[in-house]
Amino acid sequence: MSETKITVIYDNPTDPSAFESAYEAEQLEAARKIPGQVRFEASKVWPKEDGSPAPAYRMIDLYYPDYDAACVAVTTPEAGAFFEALGRLSTGGVRILMSDVEVAQQ
């Protein structure tokens, strides 16, 4: 069985400064505490070439050994704390995907 990845895509917040001031403590640190991860990535989306915002703002990727492990992880109290903060901070919208990693990083 291949890895499973949970991707959180934050759309552009209504107040980027407020989002950034809370992001590290309320999202990154909370995401790192969700158990069972084999890898963690966080990224900020580049603006378009003309300087205008892209449709997405930031992303967090949480990698798990398999689908079952990812499903267990999202039911933990640590995940609950992460998702509660996510609801408060993602003022511009958010998308969450769970996907099968078909080609893993070498």
Side-chain angles (χ1 to χ4, degrees), residues 13-57:
T14 57
D15 183 346
S17 295
F19 179 90
E20 290 298 326
S21 68
Y23 176 72
E24 175 117 14
E26 295 188 36
Q27 288 296 265
L28 288 184
E29 291 307 314
R32 286 184 180 109
K33 292 177 183 176
I34 300 172
Q37 300 172 44
V38 295
R39 195 164 78 245
F40 172 90
E41 293 177 344
S43 54
K44 187 168 184 183
V45 178
W46 289 107
K48 295 179 185 178
E49 290 76 21
D50 66 2
S52 62
Y57 184 73

